[in-house]
Amino acid sequence: MNKKEIIQLLINRQHTVITDLTKSMESYQDYADLDEDNTLDPEDFSQQTIAKEAQLRLQQQLGRAQTDLALLEHFAAHKFDDVQAGALIQTNSLWFLVGISLGVFEADDVNLHCISTGSPAFDVVVGKKVNDNFTLGNTNYQILKIV
């Protein structure tokens, strides 16, 4: 797989995440929008508060997911000679996408780990070039390709 295909798979996955979060948020909207004038049961007010809090958390997750999607779309258009945010690194055993935290992703022959710019792993890999080595945890990696 090449960078364009990998990024497109991640973009497709991110669209699914955004759709799911939006649907979940909408379902909590019904509970959060109770008509207070027609509600007499204190339990209804309690459920309304819980629904509003859940809706707020989902809204925050949705915002992060949309930001991650924009980053992926930005990363797709760039090639790199050294490791920096947006670089896709092929090593002797794994692939790494640097600059975004999406966890682990597997497709075809690619086992991809995403590294956030805020993680300690980013500090280990940033600036590395092809044939450089780096260690994460107890594992040593050699960079075979950067795109």
Side-chain angles (χ1 to χ4, degrees):
M1 295 186 91
N2 62 36
K3 181 177 182 177
K4 184 178 179 179
E5 292 170 329
I6 291 170
I7 296 288
Q8 190 57 54
L9 286 172
L10 290 170
I11 286 172
N12 292 345
R13 185 174 98 170
Q14 206 60 21
H15 278 292
T16 301
V17 167
I18 289 169
T19 299
D20 291 347
L21 285 169
T22 301
K23 286 178 184 175
S24 294
M25 214 170 64
E26 288 169 354
S27 71
Y28 279 104
Q29 182 72 36
D30 294 338
Y31 292 111
D33 286 342
L34 287 176
D35 183 4
E36 281 105 7
D37 292 335
N38 294 331
T39 304
L40 301 175
D41 187 359
E43 181 68 23
D44 290 341
F45 290 117
S46 174
Q47 294 300 322
Q48 182 183 29
T49 301
I50 291 169
K52 284 182 181 180
E53 290 170 357
Q55 185 182 15
L56 180 60
R57 282 191 303 275
L58 288 168
Q59 200 168 22
Q60 291 169 340
Q61 291 174 355
L62 179 61
R64 281 192 302 274
Q66 290 168 330
T67 299
D68 289 346
L69 176 61
L71 281 172
L72 285 169
E73 290 169 343
H74 175 74
F75 292 166
H78 293 79
K79 291 187 101 173
F80 303 93
D81 294 324
D82 64 341
V83 177
Q84 54 186 288
L88 180 66
I89 308 166
Q90 180 183 8
T91 71
N92 52 322
S93 60
L94 299 173
W95 289 70
F96 294 92
L97 178 62
V98 180
I100 193 167
S101 180
L102 294 177
V104 177
F105 181 78
E106 293 184 32
D108 296 337
D109 60 340
V110 174
N111 185 353
L112 177 70
H113 293 249
C114 298
I115 299 174
S116 167
T117 55
S119 74
F122 178 76
D123 295 333
V124 171
V125 299
V126 69
K128 300 282 187 195
K129 296 186 181 294
V130 172
N131 295 321
D132 284 350
N133 294 304
F134 63 93
T135 302
L136 294 176
N138 294 326
T139 306
N140 188 44
Y141 301 96
Q142 180 183 18
I143 299 174
L144 304 177
K145 182 167 59 169
I146 302 171
V147 289

